[in-house]
Each structure stands twice: as C-alpha cells, then as structure tokens.
Amino acid sequence: MKIDLNLLPVFIAVAEERNFTIAAARLGVTRSAVSQGIRRLEDTFGTMLVMRTTRSVNLTEAGERLRTSLSLSLSSIDAAFEDIASDSTPRGLLRIAVTSIAEEFLSGPLIASFAAANPAVTIDIVVTDEEFDIVAAGYDAGVRLGDVIEKDMIAVPLTEKQREMVVASPSYLTACSAPLHPRELVHHQCIGWRPSPDVAPYRWEFEENGRAFDVAVEPRITTNDLRLMLRLALAGGGITFAPEETFRPYIENGQLVSMLDDFLPHFPGFYLYFPQRRNIAPKLRALIEHVRQWQQPYA
C-alpha cells in the first residue's frame, strides 16, 4: 500500500485538536484542505478514521489504532497500515446509546442475533434518555425516535410508526372511572416520566380535531424507568403513558386497559442513527445491515 505521508501530519493535528478549524490553523492551511486530506487518507485505508458532525470531531476505533501506530518505529508502521486497510471483518468494540423506550431494540432478540452473527464484535449498550452528541461522547451509533435525531445524521428505520397509549389496570378503573378526555387526567393518580431529576415531568401529548395539545398531569409518582412505570400500572398504582409496543402484550391479556385512543396520533418510529455514510467501520456496517434485514418492511 502506498500512503501519502504528507497526509499524516494532517491526521495527527485533527487527532490531537479534535477540531478541523483549529487543526487547519495549526498547520497553516485551510479547513477545506484538512477535510480533504482526511478524506483522502480514509479512502486509502477504505475505512472511516474520523467521525465528524457539525458539533464535534472524534476518532473511530481505526483512527485510534492509526494514531497509536504513528508512535511506533517506522519499520512497524507499514504493517500497521496494512492491518487497518485490510481488516474488513466486523470486529472491535461497538458502542451504542439507546433510549429506554426503544422496546424493539432492547427486547433482546435483535441484539442477540447480531452478536451471534458477529462473534468478533464486542457490544456496549448504554440505555439513556439524555440528549447529547454521540460522536463527542465516543459512541458509534444511537437509537432514538426519528423526530429528535439531528439532521446531519444518517438514520435507518428500526420500527414502523409509533403512538403513545394511556393505560391503567382494571382494578384502578374499578375504583376510579376512566377519563373521557385527556384534560380529565389532572384529576387522576398518574405515573409520569422524566429523563433526570433536574427536568420537569414529561407533558402528555394528544391531538384533537387535527390540533396538537399537551397536558401537565402532575404525576403522583415520577420516575425515569419505563419498566417501573409499567409495573406500577399493573399493580393498580395509577394511569401511565408510554409507547404502544410497551403495553400491547398486557392489553391483549387483559392486565391493562387502554383509554383515550382517539386522541393519540401516530408519529415517526425508532431509528438507528450514526454520522456519515462513507467509509463506515465494518462493525457498524454489519449492525446497519442487520437492522435493515430485521425490519425490512419499515425501510
């Protein structure tokens, strides 16, 4: 393999500064020249070395290996280059940030089947509802609802359209009559959700005659754990609100009862998202293809 050695200082500057503009100033060239240099280097290797968005720059696993290789003796560098460029087998650590309400992804079978098909990939999944830049935090990909994913990300459908449901147990509804309109929820014992203690509880969103509105239910119990919300509702602890796929099995077996369905519209479902489309690492490419095959009807 023939490497343009003039590109290595560009890569080192980006790796150290984690910012294309600052790297360009350090090298005395334009930001465009730095971007083109990194792209040429990635094309040479055939894999992404730097993940970049409009907000942050971070090294991929291959990029970290290259940076490490540049500290080796010259006799070892050629071997390191060949290793990076020829390694098309999905391998290494795959880090994914997943929202807690992505039931389809977190249910088990999708991840288990991907792991079985890619034994050289180690998977680290962090379940979090905080909104942050996955590139800056060192993640390869994320899973979220489609309407909250940044526009500069590539998104692959994971589910069909979703909708929220309002549910309670039969025992709760025996003691308290079911609300006929969402605004009546303020008179009920509700089980609410919020992503963290310093954030107000999520306002329950509805639609009537084509107009969206929300209700601040002032929940009696609030948590950041969807499973706890489900368990409390099953135990007769009140009315709660979450995506339909979370409650569907319990509605079908009669443990929960849905309400206010006419006020609950559909919205974009869950997506696997990641930066860029060019020179994607084999481990991430394998996950993308696995998700596409898993949910092909929604693509």
Side-chain angles (χ1 to χ4, degrees), residues 95-175:
R95 301 187 68 220
I96 312 167
V98 184
T99 177
S100 67
I101 60 174
E103 185 72 18
E104 179 76 17
F105 191 87
L106 295 174
S107 62
L110 187 154
I111 301 167
S113 58
F114 173 76
N118 298 275
V121 177
T122 300
I123 307 163
D124 182 7
I125 297 171
V126 172
V127 179
T128 175
D129 293 300
E130 294 184 25
E131 295 187 13
F132 59 89
D133 184 344
I134 60 170
V135 173
Y139 290 91
D140 298 285
V143 175
R144 288 200 174 278
L145 288 170
D147 55 4
V148 297
I149 296 173
E150 295 87 349
K151 299 301 182 184
D152 60 347
M153 292 286 175
I154 306 299
V156 176
L158 180 64
T159 69
E160 59 188 349
K161 286 186 175 181
Q162 301 286 300
R163 74 175 185 131
E164 305 280 11
M165 295 193 81
V166 176
V167 301
S169 69
S171 63
Y172 177 85
L173 295 176
T174 298

Side-chain angles (χ1 to χ4, degrees), residues 13-234:
V14 171
E16 291 179 352
E17 302 294 348
R18 304 299 172 102
N19 184 294
F20 276 41
T21 301
I22 296 175
R26 168 174 155 178
L27 297 170
V29 299
T30 64
R31 187 186 187 285
S32 176
V34 170
S35 180
Q36 292 174 15
I38 294 296
R39 178 160 293 181
R40 286 171 55 198
L41 200 57
E42 290 178 328
D43 288 344
T44 300
F45 289 126
T47 191
M48 186 188 297
L49 301 172
V50 180
M51 289 193 296
R52 53 272 204 194
T53 69
T54 55
R55 298 169 303 283
S56 63
V57 173
N58 206 2
L59 296 184
T60 65
E61 191 172 20
E64 291 286 2
R65 288 160 58 198
L66 177 58
R67 184 172 70 164
T68 299
S69 75
L70 294 177
S71 66
L72 304 176
S73 64
L74 289 177
S75 61
S76 302
I77 289 177
D78 283 342
F81 286 164
E82 293 295 340
D83 175 62
I84 293 170
S86 62
D87 189 4
S88 61
T89 302
R91 67 173 70 253
L93 177 63
L94 183 63
R95 301 187 68 220
I96 312 167
V98 184
T99 177
S100 67
I101 60 174
E103 185 72 18
E104 179 76 17
F105 191 87
L106 295 174
S107 62
L110 187 154
I111 301 167
S113 58
F114 173 76
N118 298 275
V121 177
T122 300
I123 307 163
D124 182 7
I125 297 171
V126 172
V127 179
T128 175
D129 293 300
E130 294 184 25
E131 295 187 13
F132 59 89
D133 184 344
I134 60 170
V135 173
Y139 290 91
D140 298 285
V143 175
R144 288 200 174 278
L145 288 170
D147 55 4
V148 297
I149 296 173
E150 295 87 349
K151 299 301 182 184
D152 60 347
M153 292 286 175
I154 306 299
V156 176
L158 180 64
T159 69
E160 59 188 349
K161 286 186 175 181
Q162 301 286 300
R163 74 175 185 131
E164 305 280 11
M165 295 193 81
V166 176
V167 301
S169 69
S171 63
Y172 177 85
L173 295 176
T174 298
C176 306
S177 299
L180 301 178
H181 190 279
R183 300 201 187 281
E184 296 178 17
L185 288 165
V186 296
H187 304 301
H188 282 264
Q189 181 162 305
C190 293
I191 303 162
W193 177 89
R194 61 180 174 184
S196 60
D198 58 344
V199 177
Y202 179 74
R203 297 172 70 95
W204 295 10
E205 298 176 342
F206 301 93
E207 184 175 288
E208 185 175 22
N209 299 323
R211 291 188 175 184
F213 68 99
D214 58 52
V215 177
V217 298
E218 298 184 2
R220 176 76 179 278
I221 305 172
T222 305
T223 179
N224 67 337
D225 187 342
L226 183 64
R227 291 297 175 190
L228 178 57
M229 294 167 62
L230 172 61
R231 294 187 186 106
L232 288 168
L234 289 169

